Amino acid sequence: MDNYFVSSCKRVKDWICRQFGQKEKKTVHHKKFADGGEVIVWETGRAGEEAASYENLFLRKEIAGFRTNIRREQSCSIKSLTRDYLYKQLLSSGEYTFDHMLVIKDPYGEAPLTALALFILEEPACVTTKGNLKETDFVTELPKKKEHRVPILGMYAEKANDIVIEILDDEGNCVKSHTFTIRTKRLPKSLRNVITVKKWTDKPAYSNIMINGGVKIHTCVFDIEGKIRYYLSRKPRGYGIFPLSDGHFFYMEKYISVPSYSNPQTVESYDMDYFGRVFRTYLTEKGVHHTAEEKAGGSAKFTGKYRWSSRPRRIPSIQCRRSKPGFWMLEHTEDCVIEIDRQTGEIVWQLNMAEIFDETYQNMMDWCHVNSAAYYEKDRTILISLRNVHAVICVDYDTKKLRWILSDPKFWEGTKMTPYLLQPEGDVKWCYQQHAAFEIALPDESNPQKKRIIVYDNHWAKRRKAKSFDKDPLSYVSFYDIDEEKKTVSLHKRFAGPKTRIRANGIYVPDKKRVYNMAGSYAEPVDGDGGGIFEYDYETGEVLSEFGVKPGFFRAYPFEPNVQELAEPMQVTGDYQVGQIKQPQEISSSKYCKLKSEKKHHIKSAAIEYEMQEDLLFVNNVDHEVEKVYFIGDKGGYQVDFDDTYQTMDVFRTMVYKVAMQLTNLPKDKYKIYLQVKGELQTTKKYIDISAVN
């Protein structure tokens, strides 16, 4: 019966395609090698279809029995695990050899300019994706092993890419090779003609640069010709992705957030690699904002902790005087740093800026705006950039005590913070509304009291006025030398670039003696570009390379994937989903009875949509539109409350995103779902039945 049903559906589908002149997209291609043998190429859709049958192997037991009429989607973690398991099974079959090779385009459905070759081979292998120039070839060597999973990176879009895979002997010499082509699709609109090469050197510090973040662009990689060689098909949050030491990166989901007093904040984030494999999903109830940095370095098996800043957080309200008589209560956002265990998702440490600063500048919602935080093990300190008070601070990790402040002393005159200010030695150009403050190694490490830090000095004072601001028309990558014993600071070097408002970072490459200015957000367009990238000679300050980026971006980094790690199957220890977000809380019996009997209106908002991923329920809505979600069962009622914040900024009032809730704590029952939308109780005709969950 099942086979008959499937074949009938296929016949109907074929008939529809014939009637309307459509052709079903071919998912498998066979290509002959010139010297015999063949390569079989799968489209990514074929891999997804084949992998779907393995879903039940990875679903957690506590949610396997959920029944609902809400549309269900695979989570990113499940999607990655099932596809990876499929490739393991294909290799284990022994069917695919070097002369009968299987290649899967975009193997995990997230990186369209990648592919994965599968074959059995006892010798080492080398893969080359041919570039337009020899300098733009992507070459990867892989060690001797039986089951090869060969990553193919660096393809061009909308082109038949030449791929060369070689068998190597123990000395690294080629003994046999196969050449074939992989045709790729066109770039998305956001990536077409976005890179302009204005100047370039044939010996850059980085041959491939990854740009990410911003509102209008996918995360992508371009080479020295300005050609896109990699991109992620899913857009992250506007802050982009953050590379980690093991070849993975930290990814903030764009459309799953929690309401805040200003910008809705991401509650779902991923530990992801450059294939798009999601190794772990992190749930953070109050959300995360802006940036993530590893606490310490490590190997490919690194199990340290993430650190990022900052999350919306209700703190004890402070009283601020209005222009008219009276007082009002103010909440703060984006003024905390939290540390999350990479394995468990547990928040293990946190620091609230309001607790280490006086109240002088705590007179606005986003009063300090933490935009970078980096931990240094050698002296157990944290370097934090606070954009809206024009300050870089150093904090003792163990005591949470402030050690020093790098900022213009005139800005802090008359405050309680003056004892912590570093005093200038020589002519110091102070930073304003800076980004991305990090410590770099000094040539001489003999004096542990001395530090050198790199700061992206936007030199902008629009978010927080400063009387001492000098209105310099340029922005800078600045290097400051700090003597912690003397509590002094001097300006070591700085490299000028166009004025940037926000979204920027600087990078120092010590072995190449280069500095990068990643100017992500020009104050005014330059030759039609919203941002740009400059490579300087560290000694002379000469601009060696310059690239324009049409839409602008958040940050940029070198593209340095761990190809050896990409060639290995996924190793997920512990749960692939960690942390927690808002969960239903039991309501009183009186409220339960009232809700069951109360007249309810039908949903009026067209923006409200529903989706389930495992034990997570998402309700798509306009910012602050959905105030409460009720689950009314036969035995009792529960609610998830999103009405604990209010919007203070018009720019975010029209944002559409998914609020998320975790349902694993609901007792066994069949629940009808109601919403409170703008104070009105509304029906949804949706239900969740977990009465049969084991």
Side-chain angles (χ1 to χ4, degrees), residues 75-87:
S75 69
C76 292
S77 294
I78 293 292
K79 179 180 175 181
S80 298
L81 289 165
T82 54
R83 290 202 182 201
D84 207 79
Y85 187 80
L86 168 66
Y87 304 147

Side-chain angles (χ1 to χ4, degrees), residues 334-353:
E334 302 175 15
D335 64 343
C336 291
V337 177
I338 62 173
E339 179 182 332
I340 292 189
D341 188 282
R342 189 170 178 181
Q343 295 297 313
T344 67
E346 179 187 1
I347 297 176
V348 296
W349 186 93
Q350 56 186 317
L351 176 66
N352 182 1
M353 299 301 121

Side-chain angles (χ1 to χ4, degrees), residues 46 80 180 273 418 477 505 532 572 587 603 663:
R46 170 63 183 269
S80 298
F180 57 95
D273 70 11
T418 53
V477 178
N505 63 302
V572 180
I587 60 178
I603 290 289
L663 307 183

Side-chain angles (χ1 to χ4, degrees), residues 359-560:
E359 297 181 359
T360 304
Y361 293 116
Q362 296 182 42
N363 57 352
M364 48 194 271
M365 183 74 64
D366 186 10
W367 70 276
C368 70
H369 194 90
V370 181
N371 62 27
S372 74
Y375 171 84
Y376 298 96
E377 180 63 32
K378 63 179 182 179
D379 58 355
R380 296 182 65 80
T381 58
I382 306 167
L383 195 67
I384 304 171
S385 171
L386 309 178
R387 184 192 72 184
N388 286 355
V389 288
H390 314 299
V392 176
I393 66 173
C394 182
V395 177
D396 186 283
Y397 176 83
D398 298 307
T399 66
K400 299 184 181 179
K401 300 292 186 182
L402 190 60
R403 293 180 62 161
W404 48 258
I405 300 173
L406 169 60
S407 184
D408 187 347
K410 293 180 180 178
F411 181 74
W412 298 93
E413 286 179 352
T415 74
K416 298 176 183 178
M417 310 312 297
T418 53
Y420 299 99
L421 291 167
L422 296 172
Q423 297 304 308
E425 281 192 336
D427 184 17
V428 175
K429 302 295 183 181
W430 304 107
C431 51
Y432 291 88
Q433 284 190 198
Q434 74 294 322
H435 283 71
F438 300 100
E439 187 176 338
I440 61 176
L442 281 163
D444 180 13
E445 297 282 359
S446 60
N447 188 346
Q449 296 295 318
K450 291 187 176 181
K451 294 182 176 182
R452 179 169 293 166
I453 66 171
I454 181 173
V455 180
Y456 195 96
D457 177 15
N458 298 81
H459 222 76
W460 190 254
K462 296 289 186 178
R463 301 296 176 94
R464 173 82 71 177
K465 303 294 183 182
K467 292 181 180 179
S468 55
F469 182 59
D470 58 8
K471 299 182 180 180
D472 188 324
L474 302 175
S475 294
Y476 301 89
V477 178
S478 297
F479 294 77
Y480 294 95
D481 285 345
I482 294 164
D483 190 319
E484 294 188 308
E485 186 176 12
K486 297 180 180 178
K487 283 196 171 183
T488 58
V489 58
S490 60
L491 181 64
H492 175 66
K493 281 179 179 284
R494 66 174 183 168
F495 300 83
K499 176 67 76 177
T500 59
R501 300 176 296 115
I502 50 176
R503 300 183 180 138
N505 63 302
I507 297 177
Y508 174 52
V509 191
D511 57 328
K512 301 289 181 64
K513 295 292 183 181
R514 303 288 174 81
V515 174
Y516 278 90
N517 174 352
M518 310 300 194
S521 182
Y522 289 158
E524 298 291 339
V526 178
D527 300 328
D529 296 323
I533 292 172
F534 302 81
E535 181 183 6
Y536 306 88
D537 182 285
Y538 179 74
E539 299 297 340
T540 67
E542 179 188 358
V543 176
L544 303 176
S545 302
E546 181 184 350
F547 303 91
V549 183
K550 285 277 186 295
F553 56 93
F554 178 77
R555 286 188 185 172
Y557 310 95
F559 182 56
E560 297 176 329

